[in-house]
Amino acid sequence: MQAITMALKVHVLAAVFGMGSWIAINGLWVELPLIVPEIPEGWYLPSYLTIIIQLANVGPLFVTLMHKFCPRKLDESAVIYAIVCLGIVACFLLPFFWKVTSTFAGALHSTVLLVLAFFLSLVDCTSSVTFLPFMTRLQPKFLTSYFIGEGLSGLVPGLVALGQGVGVVSCVNMTINTTGSVPSNSTGGDSYSIVALYQPANFPPKVFFFFLSGMMSLCLMAFILLNYLPESHHQRATSNYVKQTEAANGGADLSTVEVAEMRPMISPSDGQQEARVKTIFRTGRYSPSEMVLIFLVLAWVNALTNAVLPSVQTYSCLPYGYLAYHLSAALGAMANPLACFVAMFYPNR
């Protein structure tokens, strides 16, 4: 019973730790419908954010180059401490400065918001190449909890944003005096215009950003406990597993690695496909044409998911108003973790 309780604590900590991987940027995306009406960039903001997120990939590039040219010189724990603390500070500054504007290149921009968005993107992009290597120090069963937490990084902000709402929009006739000499109750020099009045949401973006800061703080606490909690030390991976993982990552013969998970998914009647899969697992190599196809598919899917679709989301939702944009942003952030949840029960290779 005590062993089960210890393992359960580590599972929960791994999930909370994984939740901090992408919760900052996912939270910023679902909050865009409430930010867009109040900043100079307006509907262009998603396009700005898409470019900023791509620029933030310098973080993973730096970590990858360090592992390539200076192996064993980079301490993942130190990097994780740095990026998570950076994420906490950036999220904490957002409530106070997201409306601050300044003139840049002859136009008014939300400079502080864009700079903080870059730091948040740097945190989340770098987490992809640092959190997972740290998790390999624990037993393999805790990776599932980590990935569940990573999925929750999109689901939780989406649910909070749905509870926040986007406010009620009402259209009213406004009277505009064009002459300045006719009383306001007269129609002599008045013109009329229909104006949209936006009622406030259930709570403002300021509260939502504080929520993101709190979630990043929970991620830091979970990481500290995974490092120093006695229950976590009892769930460390065995030396044999670590050596096997390092050998696999180093390009060693993968025929010794157990791949039973894949076997039931291969049709017994398809002898050629089964032989090809066995060859891939034995040699760890794909043919040049297979490699080209795999990378083309990856490039196409990632371009759509991380660049094309988010940048045009505002324009596709513009004719339907802020409510449609709010729902599409919140539900879109929830779609990925829900799809991953289904894939856990219906795997398909």
Side-chain angles (χ1 to χ4, degrees):
M1 186 65 182
Q2 186 179 3
I4 296 177
T5 304
M6 291 169 56
L8 182 60
K9 288 182 181 179
V10 180
H11 278 295
V12 173
L13 291 174
V16 175
F17 176 59
M19 200 186 308
S21 58
W22 279 92
I23 197 168
I25 286 299
N26 287 333
L28 191 59
W29 274 112
V30 300
E31 195 67 7
L32 286 184
L34 293 177
I35 299 177
V36 162
E38 301 191 41
I39 59 173
E41 287 79 9
W43 296 92
Y44 292 102
L45 182 60
S47 299
Y48 282 94
L49 287 181
T50 300
I51 297 173
I52 288 173
I53 292 173
Q54 304 313 314
L55 292 175
N57 280 306
V58 296
L61 180 62
F62 170 77
V63 174
T64 303
L65 292 177
M66 284 293 293
H67 282 302
K68 178 69 175 178
F69 297 106
C70 302
R72 303 186 184 278
K73 292 291 182 66
L74 189 66
D75 184 9
E76 275 89 3
S77 295
V79 177
I80 292 174
Y81 277 119
I83 63 174
V84 174
C85 290
L86 178 62
I88 294 173
V89 173
C91 287
F92 187 78
L93 293 177
L94 272 176
F96 304 103
F97 300 105
W98 71 274
K99 284 187 178 181
V100 175
T101 59
S102 61
T103 303
F104 180 76
L108 201 62
H109 290 286
S110 304
T111 312
V112 179
L113 174 63
L114 297 177
V115 170
L116 292 177
F118 172 78
F119 287 123
L120 292 179
S121 303
L122 186 66
V123 170
D124 291 359
C125 291
T126 310
S127 72
S128 300
V129 293
T130 54
F131 282 22
L132 200 56
F134 170 78
M135 287 303 300
T136 58
R137 301 178 185 180
L138 300 175
Q139 296 179 18
K141 61 183 179 182
F142 297 109
L143 281 177
T144 302
S145 301
Y146 169 81
F147 286 123
I148 291 174
E150 196 173 63
L152 291 176
S153 68
L155 183 63
V156 172
L159 292 175
V160 175
L162 287 177
Q164 181 184 20
V166 75
V168 179
V169 181
S170 59
C171 296
V172 296
N173 283 324
M174 298 292 291
T175 303
I176 303 174
N177 191 296
T178 57
T179 63
S181 58
V182 182
S184 60
N185 58 354
S186 171
T187 60
D190 294 347
S191 63
Y192 299 92
S193 176
I194 297 178
V195 179
L197 293 181
Y198 294 91
Q199 302 298 323
N202 295 329
F203 53 88
K206 181 177 182 179
V207 176
F208 187 85
F209 292 142
F210 278 127
F211 161 76
L212 292 182
S213 181
M215 295 303 297
M216 290 300 297
S217 300
L218 288 178
C219 173
L220 178 61
M221 292 176 59
F223 177 64
I224 293 173
L225 292 175
L226 285 174
N227 266 314
Y228 298 106
L229 202 66
E231 288 86 344
S232 176
H233 285 281
H234 285 94
Q235 304 296 332
R236 295 283 180 175
T238 61
S239 57
N240 289 335
Y241 171 75
V242 174
K243 290 178 181 178
Q244 197 176 48
T245 304
E246 291 177 350
N249 291 336
D253 186 4
L254 296 180
S255 60
T256 60
V257 181
E258 181 61 41
V259 292
E261 180 193 0
M262 298 291 290
R263 292 173 183 167
M265 303 175 191
I266 301 173
S267 173
S269 60
D270 194 349
Q272 281 189 334
Q273 182 182 3
E274 184 175 0
R276 177 61 186 147
V277 171
K278 286 182 177 179
T279 301
I280 291 173
F281 275 108
R282 186 174 63 253
T283 62
R285 297 177 181 176
Y286 293 90
S287 66
S289 59
E290 289 172 332
M291 290 292 293
V292 171
L293 178 61
I294 289 172
F295 279 110
L296 285 177
V297 172
L298 284 173
W300 175 252
V301 172
N302 280 282
L304 287 178
T305 306
N306 299 319
V308 179
L309 296 180
S311 62
V312 302
Q313 187 178 24
T314 47
Y315 304 103
S316 61
C317 297
L318 179 60
Y320 307 100
Y322 286 104
L323 179 59
Y325 181 34
H326 172 72
L327 292 176
S328 67
L331 296 177
M334 299 166 59
N336 183 44
L338 290 177
C340 294
F341 182 76
V342 172
M344 289 175 60
F345 299 96
Y346 297 98
N348 185 17
R349 300 290 194 275

